[in-house]
Amino acid sequence: MRKLIILLAFLGTSATFAASVTAKGQFTSKPGDTLSFIKKQLYANTVRNVLDSELQKLGLDRKTFWQNYETKFEEHFAPIKENYDQKFGAVDEEGNPVQLSAAQKDRYDRGLRYKKLTSQASYGKFNSIITSYAIKKMSKSLSRADTHYITINAKVNRKLVSEIYYRFIGTGKNRTFSRLYLNINYKLNDLTWEEVGVSSKSKFTDVVEEHWLQELSASVGGVFLDGIEVVNPSTRQEIYEHLKQPLAQLREGNDTAIFGSRQNELRNSLMMNLDITLSKEYKDEKQQIINIKTFGGFVLTDLRDGAVVTFTDFAPASQEYSTKDPHKQSSEIASFVYQLPISEMKSLKRTVKEKVSIKNSFEIVLKNTKNINEAFDFAGMLKEEGVVYFFDPQISATLRNVVNITITFSGDKDKAMEVLEKFKTVKLGDEAIVKRDDTLPFVFNVIHNNESPLTKKVESKRQ
């Protein structure tokens, strides 16, 4: 069970901006490390410890922060390593590894370690949170001469801690997708397929579906590892049964007894629903014309949890067709139907990238709640305001009058964070408001009608 997060009482504005801390750091050196290099690494590790401690005190999501930091650092360091490999001669012109002698491998490893630790010491600009410091003690391990320790007294700028947290939080991992299922439903109103100009449904639908598959393959062929599949009745039923599972079970994908590996395949797939309706407006046998109204809709569903990724309704359109040449008539209708979802299909790759492929999350803290219902109400407001980014706020931890809410979302991080700007001061029911902390963008305070800001500060000092 996740540990409950204990928040540090905020002792006024000055405490929020600066705090005095005593922090320790450790570094294991290797032969050849200079004293200045060792000191820089000791200080960098100490600052990381300070940052980690401050994140915990502020009730922020340390685990996600450090996971995201490591991911972003590896992305940052990748081109540095690539350049180093080329200059050292560890790879050939095509980037393939070159066999190194033992001595060369030793020099390569030492050089790469130096570059990585040096880069890591500055990446993220963590040192900026320390406004001033004094070294209290430096020492070595009595049993291991390569293990170094440092203790410092430092002043910490908590506003910068918050800004750094914001910079790295909300970064997600790319999902890989198994398959795109194309689920097409045709409906005829007061119309037969013969009146459309074909002898059977398949003679019309097969042609349209073939062209849709071509368009989708060109647009997102490389996104779905197992390709694109037009569902048959059996697959459709399997997908519907899959989506009937409880939400938590869907997201965890632990129903292996029923679906086995097929369960994971479905969870990592999307389904595009196309509803096409052809409705006869009128038919003139003498003039050999027929007027058909076409409408319907498009829905993209994430089979991971049944969430609607995007949807649109096709604008109803009536069009008159000549029935003199059935082949020409059916071709014209098929061409019209084909165009209905084509703009969504052409932009599908961008849609998947922005709304599905990266699942992000960040955590906010709601303080001074009188009951859990206030947290649920606030989470509902967040979900409604963040619907464009598929906000899914969930209560993740509670401790007395403090509630942590984890928000998963899709799409651009900065745009999703802008949603929080709309909650600087909002009404929460008839008896309270929620006010966002001026310096900590992930902290929100509930202020009830019988409380003033001054009263709130006094109560905070007593916590």
Side-chain angles (χ1 to χ4, degrees):
M1 180 178 177
R2 177 178 173 174
K3 291 183 179 179
L4 295 178
I5 298 176
I6 301 176
L7 297 176
L8 179 71
F10 297 110
L11 305 179
T13 304
S14 60
T16 300
F17 279 90
S20 297
V21 300
T22 298
K24 297 180 179 180
Q26 178 181 330
F27 177 67
T28 301
S29 64
K30 289 192 174 183
D33 287 347
T34 64
L35 181 59
S36 62
F37 177 76
I38 292 172
K39 286 182 176 179
K40 286 180 180 179
Q41 295 304 316
L42 274 172
Y43 181 67
N45 291 343
T46 306
V47 172
R48 284 169 64 94
N49 291 339
V50 170
L51 178 59
D52 184 67
S53 176
E54 290 300 311
L55 293 177
Q56 182 180 24
K57 290 175 183 177
L58 296 174
L60 301 175
D61 186 357
R62 298 154 57 213
K63 180 180 178 181
T64 302
F65 173 84
W66 289 115
Q67 286 176 343
N68 292 349
Y69 168 81
E70 293 298 335
T71 299
K72 298 300 289 183
F73 173 73
E74 290 302 326
E75 293 175 1
H76 164 79
F77 188 68
I80 298 175
K81 180 180 181 298
E82 183 178 344
N83 185 56
Y84 173 73
D85 287 351
Q86 291 173 348
K87 288 186 175 180
F88 189 90
V91 295
D92 60 22
E93 293 180 357
E94 296 180 355
N96 300 313
V98 172
Q99 186 69 34
L100 301 176
S101 66
Q104 289 174 326
K105 184 66 166 60
D106 181 64
R107 283 195 297 111
Y108 171 82
D109 289 341
R110 283 189 283 111
L112 184 62
R113 169 181 172 271
Y114 178 84
K115 281 189 172 294
K116 187 167 187 177
L117 289 176
T118 301
S119 181
Q120 201 165 36
S122 60
Y123 182 71
K125 298 181 179 179
F126 292 170
N127 291 355
S128 64
I129 69 171
I130 306 297
T131 58
S132 63
Y133 74 97
I135 297 176
K136 189 175 180 181
K137 182 181 180 182
M138 284 187 68
S139 62
K140 286 186 179 182
S141 170
L142 295 177
S143 58
R144 294 191 58 179
D146 61 351
T147 304
H148 306 261
Y149 302 99
I150 190 174
T151 302
I152 68 171
N153 290 330
K155 294 283 187 180
V156 181
N157 186 322
R158 285 187 175 148
K159 186 174 185 296
L160 292 179
V161 170
S162 179
E163 290 178 1
I164 288 174
Y165 176 78
Y166 169 85
R167 195 184 310 148
F168 284 95
I169 204 68
T171 303
K173 293 183 177 180
N174 285 315
R175 284 177 64 188
T176 56
F177 298 97
S178 296
R179 198 180 300 272
L180 173 65
Y181 291 101
L182 188 57
N183 184 33
I184 309 170
N185 302 297
Y186 293 96
K187 182 180 180 182
L188 301 185
N189 285 340
D190 192 26
L191 187 69
T192 65
W193 287 110
E194 287 78 8
E195 290 176 310
V196 175
V198 293
S199 58
S200 65
K201 176 182 177 181
S202 62
K203 289 186 180 299
F204 180 90
T205 59
D206 288 354
V207 173
V208 178
E209 289 168 10
E210 181 182 351
H211 284 83
W212 277 338
L213 286 173
Q214 291 175 0
E215 183 60 51
L216 287 169
S217 295
S219 174
V220 293
V223 175
F224 298 92
L225 301 180
D226 297 323
I228 303 159
E229 177 183 327
V230 178
V231 301
N232 56 36
S234 175
T235 306
R236 184 182 295 113
Q237 183 62 33
E238 183 183 15
I239 291 172
Y240 289 161
E241 290 298 322
H242 162 78
L243 292 175
K244 287 181 181 179
Q245 298 175 80
L247 182 59
Q249 191 166 292
L250 275 173
R251 288 179 172 174
E252 293 173 8
N254 57 5
D255 195 9
T256 54
I258 297 177
F259 289 100
S261 60
R262 175 63 168 159
Q263 168 76 343
N264 289 329
E265 180 183 328
L266 290 173
R267 287 182 69 251
N268 291 307
S269 298
L270 304 180
M271 182 167 67
M272 177 186 289
N273 287 286
L274 290 176
D275 291 310
I276 307 293
T277 299
L278 302 176
S279 180
K280 182 168 64 180
E281 298 285 273
Y282 63 82
K283 182 179 181 181
D284 190 323
E285 298 282 5
K286 186 176 181 180
Q287 297 291 327
Q288 292 185 293
I289 58 173
I290 188 170
N291 188 287
I292 296 177
K293 182 179 181 181
T294 308
F295 54 94
F298 157 93
V299 179
L300 185 65
T301 303
D302 188 347
L303 298 186
R304 174 181 178 268
D305 52 12
V308 174
V309 177
T310 187
F311 67 92
T312 189
D313 292 325
F314 306 139
S318 295
Q319 191 158 321
E320 191 174 86
Y321 302 94
S322 171
T323 59
K324 292 179 181 179
D325 183 346
H327 178 71
K328 181 181 178 183
Q329 175 198 350
S330 63
S331 295
E332 290 177 350
I333 297 174
S335 179
F336 187 84
V337 169
Y338 163 78
Q339 290 294 333
L340 290 175
I342 209 67
S343 62
E344 283 75 17
M345 289 182 175
K346 287 182 180 295
S347 62
L348 186 60
K349 188 172 185 177
R350 185 183 65 195
T351 300
V352 171
K353 179 180 179 181
E354 292 181 352
K355 296 185 177 182
V356 192
S357 64
I358 299 179
K359 286 291 185 180
N360 299 309
S361 68
F362 57 84
E363 188 171 86
I364 64 170
V365 179
L366 185 65
K367 302 174 58 186
N368 197 41
T369 57
K370 282 190 174 180
N371 55 66
I372 194 65
N373 288 333
E374 290 184 336
F376 281 116
D377 290 344
F378 186 55
M381 295 165 65
L382 288 165
K383 184 170 186 176
E384 182 177 354
E385 191 64 45
V387 65
V388 174
Y389 307 106
F390 300 91
F391 268 34
D392 183 21
Q394 299 289 334
I395 307 301
S396 54
T398 60
L399 179 63
R400 294 190 295 275
N401 63 344
V402 176
V403 179
N404 289 72
I405 301 174
T406 299
I407 302 172
T408 58
F409 66 95
S410 297
D412 183 81
K413 181 187 74 171
D414 290 336
K415 291 185 181 297
M417 293 299 182
E418 288 176 4
V419 174
L420 299 185
E421 294 288 341
K422 300 179 181 180
F423 288 85
K424 287 185 176 179
T425 304
V426 294
K427 187 176 181 182
L428 186 67
D430 296 327
E431 300 181 353
I433 62 171
V434 174
K435 185 174 177 59
R436 188 185 188 193
D437 192 287
D438 291 334
T439 57
L440 301 172
F442 296 92
V443 176
F444 295 79
N445 294 282
V446 181
I447 301 175
H448 299 92
N449 288 349
N450 60 347
E451 297 174 340
S452 68
L454 179 61
T455 303
K456 183 71 181 64
K457 283 185 181 181
V458 172
E459 289 181 353
S460 294
K461 291 180 180 181
R462 293 173 179 170
Q463 290 178 2

